[in-house]
């Protein structure tokens, strides 16, 4: 992220009168032994096995005393299942030109011993998703074959590393090394599992090595799970330089000060433009700080685009051209807020689905996304995401930690003071989906008429409001149809009305509402003189959870939320209703903060069904999975409920 551009020269002056060093990996090669590995029973049961997954990050001083870096990867794979051949028949290299690959060897060895070798000259360049890659098409792969390869590439010097030691493939031996000049002290921390570690110095080279044997597969298909964050990984950081001051490098305090400096680089040069824009927005005339916050946000999000490839010279040019870098846009927010005397703090964090932000290990790899925090209201803003507005941020950030940077002034001198703390989320009552459905029957009980009102609050609106706001009339119509189709497949809609969708007005703080009348024949089935009504389908299709193996990942529901459905069924004259007892459900686990309840009552010719489902906690331990699954499946079981209307 942007912080890496900042660290290159900010804290380290690593130019010393030192002897130029060679890379240890410059003579790296594949072993001469091509015999197949003897698999254990556990390994034989896997589709494929990573016999070796070795990653080496190496640093050296060149003749000018500057640091240089290379990366070496060595893998050996045994293929048990023919279906895995397609998975390994193309190897991607994280470079866009062959010159960046210093060395490469690859070979496949069949069960019969046939060896097929490929080299650097076999590389091809491809473009996928607007990114260029070098690839190697692997020949000779088949069931029971082994693939082994290594490559070494040039890489930019970075002082923070993240390496995963677990994947969707069983790993016999995982190894990560950081090799550097002896004066550079690296520290590391493992997550989601322990690894053996050695830290040695040989010939003025420090070698920090982590290893683990027989790493189990982590299931990436488990629902309600933060798979990437749950994988075993190692975070590395350069912590000290004994040839310098030997003070700890890249602390949270250092990061906070540097972010403050970046955001205030144009505090003086852009002052007139900030004053002019504040006047244009009539900020002083607005009644509250929240109104001023919304005015600033709406202007920037409706008028300024982020373009990292076309960074402008500064905020004055940004305001003229209506685009700039992410840092420039966030700086504009901060200078506008300071000009309006609105208390705020910059928050730098990461998605909890990628990594848990660990306050105890100060790697700046956790610093890759911006938020703004307003202590007077306790609310957050995502300053660069046009899909959200003040008071609501992507739920991937809530419940994670973040680096909070606050401006502190002593006399005429100001600086950034930082602290790591939790990004508190809203309560479950702020994120909801409410359904009110008035149900009657038409055309001799051949069709159901439903007058529906759905309300969405907070993250539970699935960005419907935002998409609707930015869409044209045709796209809006299609989107509403998709929302309704999630409940009724063969619906015919009339009298559709959408409310509270304008992101630039105060109505954004109100629920997003979709009202419509639906006619649907598929919910009715005739069985002689009886009529079967699929009442459970009115709440929409629900997730059903079944899992053969033991749960591996802790539970993550995304954000705390609840569902409230009220179904009012008018019973036609001359009919009695059977099966109402099925509507009584009560699956609640108060210790987990989750549950599903359903009940009904009679009121004249009406049956009023109330369905509630709630998830108060974002995360739950693996031990809670069985009971959590019961709640999820209770909603799916409600889907299956049918009422029988019998002529009296």
């Amino acid at each position: 992220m942007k912080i890496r551009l900042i660290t290159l020269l900010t804290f380290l002056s690593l130019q010393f009168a030192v002897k130029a060093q060679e890379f240890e990996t410059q003579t790296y090669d594949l072993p001469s032994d091509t015999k197949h590995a003897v698999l254990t029973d556990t390994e034989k049961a896997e589709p494929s096995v990573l016999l070796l997954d070795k990653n080496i990050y190496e640093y050296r001083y060149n003749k000018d005393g500057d640091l240089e870096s290379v990366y070496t990867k060595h893998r050996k794979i045994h293929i048990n299942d023919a279906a895995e051949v397609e998975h390994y028949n193309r190897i991607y290299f994280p470079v866009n030109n062959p010159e960046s690959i210093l060395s490469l060897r690859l070979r496949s060895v069949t069960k019969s011993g046939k060896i097929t070798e490929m080299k650097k000259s076999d590389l091809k360049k491809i473009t996928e998703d607007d990114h260029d890659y070098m690839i190697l098409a692997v020949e000779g792969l088949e069931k029971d074959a082994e693939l082994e390869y290594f490559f070494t590439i040039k890489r930019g010097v970075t002082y923070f590393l993240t390496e995963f030691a677990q994947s969707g493939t069983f790993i016999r031996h995982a190894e990560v090394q950081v090799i550097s000049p002896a004066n550079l002290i690296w520290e590391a921390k493992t997550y989601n599992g322990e690894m053996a570690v050695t830290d040695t110095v040989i010939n003025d080279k420090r070698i920090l090595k982590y290893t683990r044997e027989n790493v189990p597969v982590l299931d990436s298909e488990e629902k309600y799970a933060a798979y990437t964050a749950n994988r075993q990984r190692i975070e590395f950081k350069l912590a000290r330089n004994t040839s310098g001051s030997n003070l700890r490098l890249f602390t949270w305090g250092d990061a906070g000060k540097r972010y403050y400096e970046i955001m205030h680089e144009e505090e003086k040069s852009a002052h007139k433009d900030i004053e002019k824009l504040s006047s244009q927005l009539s900020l002083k005339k607005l009644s509250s700080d929240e109104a001023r916050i919304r005015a600033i946000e709406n202007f920037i999000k409706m008028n300024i685009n982020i373009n990292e490839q076309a960074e402008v010279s500064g905020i004055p040019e940004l305001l003229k051209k209506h685009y700039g870098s992410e840092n420039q846009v966030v700086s504009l927010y901060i200078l506008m807020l300071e000009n309006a005397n609105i208390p705020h703090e910059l928050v730098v964090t990461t998605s909890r689905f990628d990594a848990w932000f660990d306050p105890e290990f100060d790697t700046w790899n956790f610093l890759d996304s911006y938020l703004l925090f307003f202590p007077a209201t306790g609310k957050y803003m995502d300053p660069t995401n046009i899909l959200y507005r003040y008071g609501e941020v992507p739920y991937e950030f809530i419940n994670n930690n973040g680096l909070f940077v606050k401006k502190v002034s002593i006399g005429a001198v100001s600086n950034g003071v930082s602290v790591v703390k939790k990004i508190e989320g809203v309560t479950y009552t702020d994120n909801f989906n409410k359904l009110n459905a008035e149900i009657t029957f038409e055309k001799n009980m051949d069709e159901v008429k439903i007058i529906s009102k759905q309300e969405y609050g907070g993250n539970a609106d699935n960005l419907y409001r935002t998409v609707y706001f930015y869409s044209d009339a045709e796209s809006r119509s299609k989107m509403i149809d998709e929302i309704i189709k999630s409940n009724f497949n063969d619906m015919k809609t009339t009298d559709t009305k959408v409310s509270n969708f304008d992101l630039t007005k105060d109505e954004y703080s109100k629920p997003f509402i979709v009202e419509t009348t639906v006619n649907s024949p598929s919910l009715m089935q005739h069985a002689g003189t009886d009529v079967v009504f699929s009442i459970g389908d009115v709440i929409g299709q629900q997730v059903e959870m079944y899992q053969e193996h033991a749960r591996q990942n802790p539970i993550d529901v995304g954000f705390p939320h609840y569902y409230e459905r009220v179904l009012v069924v008018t019973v036609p004259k001359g009919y009695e209703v059977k099966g109402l007892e099925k509507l009584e459900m009560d699956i609640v686990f108060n210790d987990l903060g989750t549950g599903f309840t359903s009940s009904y009552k009679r009121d004249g010719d009406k049956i009023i069904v109330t369905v509630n489902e709630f998830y108060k906690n974002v995360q739950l331990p693996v031990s809670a999975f069985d009971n959590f699954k019961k709640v999820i499946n209770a909603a799916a079981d409600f889907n299956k409920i049918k009422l029988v209307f019998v002529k009296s």
Side-chain angles (χ1 to χ4, degrees):
M1 173 210 161
K2 53 257 174 192
I3 197 66
R4 291 174 183 160
L5 301 175
I6 300 161
T7 59
L8 294 180
L9 297 175
T10 301
F11 292 101
L12 290 183
S13 296
L14 292 176
Q15 290 186 319
F16 299 99
V18 296
K19 181 181 178 181
Q21 299 171 310
E22 299 295 332
F23 284 118
E24 295 292 318
T25 51
Q26 68 180 4
T27 58
Y28 199 94
D29 202 356
L30 295 181
S32 58
D33 185 5
T34 60
K35 291 181 181 179
H36 275 205
V38 178
L39 302 185
T40 65
D41 289 341
T42 297
E43 293 170 337
K44 290 176 182 178
E46 297 292 332
S48 61
V49 178
L50 260 172
L51 299 168
L52 174 66
D53 188 13
K54 186 176 183 179
N55 299 273
I56 305 172
Y57 297 88
E58 186 171 6
Y59 297 78
R60 72 162 187 185
Y61 290 117
N62 63 19
K63 59 183 178 60
D64 297 318
D66 296 325
L67 271 184
E68 294 180 339
S69 178
V70 296
Y71 166 65
T72 299
K73 188 174 191 67
H74 183 181
R75 274 188 161 186
K76 186 176 183 180
I77 303 110
H78 186 98
I79 297 174
N80 289 325
D81 191 328
E84 290 288 284
V85 171
E86 185 176 356
H87 180 69
Y88 292 107
N89 64 7
R90 293 208 306 180
I91 306 298
Y92 286 76
F93 300 88
V95 295
N96 56 20
N97 65 78
E99 289 73 27
S100 297
I101 300 179
L102 302 178
S103 56
L104 180 156
R105 272 192 70 192
L106 182 149
R107 68 184 175 214
S108 62
V109 184
T110 65
K111 186 177 181 180
S112 63
K114 180 183 177 181
I115 300 174
T116 304
E117 287 234 14
M118 280 140 281
K119 298 182 179 179
K120 185 176 176 179
S121 58
D122 298 312
L123 285 167
K124 293 182 179 180
K125 187 174 183 177
I126 65 167
T127 301
E128 290 183 358
D129 299 326
D130 297 324
H131 291 282
D132 294 332
Y133 301 93
M134 302 303 299
I135 68 162
L136 197 60
V138 182
E139 299 176 5
L141 285 187
E142 59 185 34
K143 184 179 183 297
D144 296 322
E146 288 189 352
L147 167 66
E148 186 170 16
Y149 65 90
F150 92 92
F151 62 84
T152 299
I153 62 172
K154 297 177 184 177
R155 66 190 306 272
V157 174
T158 57
Y159 307 127
F160 314 98
L161 303 169
T162 299
E163 189 62 51
F164 289 95
Q166 186 177 35
S167 67
T169 303
F170 184 88
I171 304 173
R172 176 185 284 189
H173 178 83
E175 180 176 324
V176 187
Q177 295 185 31
V178 177
I179 304 174
S180 69
N183 64 292
L184 301 182
I185 310 299
W186 288 80
E187 292 183 0
K189 188 171 182 179
T190 60
Y191 297 85
N192 307 314
E194 296 297 322
M195 298 183 74
V197 58
T198 60
D199 189 352
T200 58
V201 176
I202 302 174
N203 298 326
D204 292 326
K205 293 286 187 74
R206 183 176 299 277
I207 303 171
L208 182 61
K209 182 168 71 172
Y210 280 74
T211 59
R212 184 182 176 186
E213 312 299 322
N214 302 317
V215 185
V217 172
L218 185 65
D219 186 0
S220 62
E221 301 299 320
E222 287 187 343
K223 298 175 181 176
Y224 301 104
Y227 170 74
T228 300
N230 292 335
R231 292 170 63 190
Q232 183 169 9
R233 75 179 197 279
I234 314 119
E235 297 285 350
F236 296 88
K237 71 161 286 180
L238 180 58
R240 288 181 174 81
N241 175 10
T242 60
S243 295
S245 67
N246 202 30
L247 295 175
R248 186 169 184 81
L249 302 170
F250 305 113
T251 65
W252 294 133
D254 293 334
K257 290 177 182 178
R258 187 64 187 115
Y259 274 117
Y260 177 86
E261 291 169 359
I262 293 167
M263 296 305 160
H264 290 82
E265 285 176 351
E266 298 186 66
E267 186 173 12
K268 293 182 179 179
S269 61
H271 180 71
K272 289 183 179 179
D273 296 271
I274 297 297
E275 285 280 359
K276 182 179 178 181
L277 179 56
S278 298
S279 178
Q280 289 174 350
L281 298 179
S282 301
L283 296 184
K284 292 182 180 180
K285 297 179 181 179
L286 297 177
S287 60
S288 66
D289 277 353
E290 286 202 310
R292 285 181 273 274
I293 292 168
R294 291 192 178 98
I296 293 169
E297 180 184 29
N298 284 331
F299 172 81
I300 294 176
K301 289 186 174 178
M302 298 301 291
N303 293 279
I304 309 295
N305 294 317
I306 292 175
N307 189 336
E308 298 293 347
Q309 283 69 47
E311 185 170 350
V312 295
S313 61
I315 286 176
E317 188 179 4
L318 176 149
L319 293 171
K320 290 177 182 178
K321 293 188 174 181
H322 300 284
Y323 65 79
S325 70
E326 182 182 25
N327 280 345
Q328 289 173 325
V329 170
V330 177
S331 175
L332 175 60
Y333 272 101
I334 288 174
L335 297 180
M336 289 290 293
L337 291 167
E338 288 181 355
N339 185 264
N341 295 314
I342 299 173
H344 64 280
E345 296 175 21
L346 176 69
V347 183
V348 198
T349 185
T350 190
S351 168
R352 72 171 190 275
F353 297 126
D354 293 331
W356 175 251
F357 189 126
D358 181 0
E360 303 300 322
F361 190 70
D362 47 356
T363 170
W364 290 9
N365 271 353
F366 295 143
L367 306 176
D368 62 11
S369 295
Y370 288 130
L371 298 176
L372 292 172
F373 174 64
F374 299 91
T377 62
K379 295 180 181 180
Y380 293 85
M381 177 206 294
D382 186 328
T384 61
N385 191 330
I386 65 171
L387 302 180
Y388 295 86
R389 290 297 188 270
Y390 165 75
E392 184 180 335
V393 299
Y395 59 79
E396 65 197 78
F397 300 126
I398 64 172
N399 277 30
N400 207 351
N401 292 312
L403 182 72
F404 287 67
V405 184
K406 180 181 180 180
K407 180 178 181 178
V408 175
S409 300
I410 301 176
V413 179
S414 298
N415 211 329
V417 175
S418 58
V419 61
V420 175
K421 57 184 179 180
K422 185 178 179 181
I423 301 170
E424 297 289 350
V426 296
T427 66
Y428 82 106
T429 56
D430 294 304
N431 302 307
F432 57 83
N433 173 207
K434 298 180 180 180
L435 169 65
N436 188 283
E438 297 179 11
I439 303 167
T440 56
F441 304 95
E442 298 186 338
K443 298 183 179 180
N444 297 318
M445 299 289 284
D446 286 332
E447 192 169 274
V448 180
K449 178 181 178 181
I450 303 174
I451 300 175
S452 167
K453 179 180 180 181
Q454 296 200 64
E455 298 181 48
Y456 300 90
N459 287 115
D461 74 0
N462 295 310
L463 297 179
Y464 291 148
R465 184 202 314 257
T466 303
V467 174
Y468 192 87
F469 173 73
Y470 284 110
S471 297
D472 57 27
E474 182 179 355
S475 299
R476 286 179 174 183
S477 179
K478 289 180 179 179
M479 190 198 89
I480 297 302
D481 282 349
E482 289 301 317
I483 294 175
I484 299 168
K485 280 182 180 177
S486 66
N487 292 51
F488 318 108
N489 290 324
D490 59 345
M491 56 48 168
K492 296 177 184 177
T493 61
T494 57
D495 303 324
T496 299
K497 178 184 177 183
V498 179
S499 307
N500 303 332
F501 60 85
D502 194 329
L503 304 185
T504 67
K505 297 180 179 179
D506 289 344
E507 65 185 46
Y508 179 78
S509 61
K510 300 177 182 178
F512 176 65
I513 299 175
V514 179
E515 299 173 86
T516 190
T517 298
V518 177
N519 288 78
S520 175
S522 67
L523 298 178
M524 306 295 291
Q525 289 181 330
H526 286 265
T529 58
D530 297 342
V531 181
V532 180
F533 170 44
S534 301
I535 189 172
D537 286 335
V538 175
I539 70 168
Q541 187 174 1
Q542 303 296 304
V543 173
E544 199 162 10
M545 292 188 72
Y546 295 102
Q547 188 166 307
E548 294 182 0
H549 62 74
R551 177 78 176 189
Q552 292 180 292
N553 292 282
I555 299 158
D556 192 307
V557 300
F559 51 92
H561 59 285
Y562 75 95
Y563 301 90
E564 179 183 285
R565 297 106 167 184
V566 178
L567 316 179
V568 181
V569 182
T570 300
V571 180
K573 290 182 179 180
Y575 282 91
E576 294 180 357
V577 184
K578 293 185 178 181
L580 291 172
E581 70 282 354
K582 299 175 185 176
L583 296 171
E584 295 286 355
M585 302 176 68
D586 187 14
I587 299 90
V588 175
F589 299 96
N590 288 318
D591 58 327
L592 305 181
T594 184
F596 181 95
T597 64
S598 171
S599 62
Y600 77 94
K601 65 179 181 179
R602 298 293 299 257
D603 185 5
D605 62 348
K606 290 179 171 47
I607 301 170
I608 302 171
V609 183
T610 303
V611 183
N612 289 299
E613 184 179 356
F614 58 90
Y615 303 90
K616 296 181 180 180
N617 298 315
V618 176
Q619 293 156 317
L620 294 170
V622 173
S623 59
F625 177 68
D626 286 341
N627 287 339
F628 174 79
K629 184 172 66 173
K630 291 175 183 177
V631 175
I632 293 292
N633 287 340
D637 290 340
F638 186 89
N639 262 162
K640 302 168 187 175
I641 295 177
K642 302 179 188 296
L643 300 180
V644 180
F645 288 75
V646 180
K647 276 196 172 184
S648 55

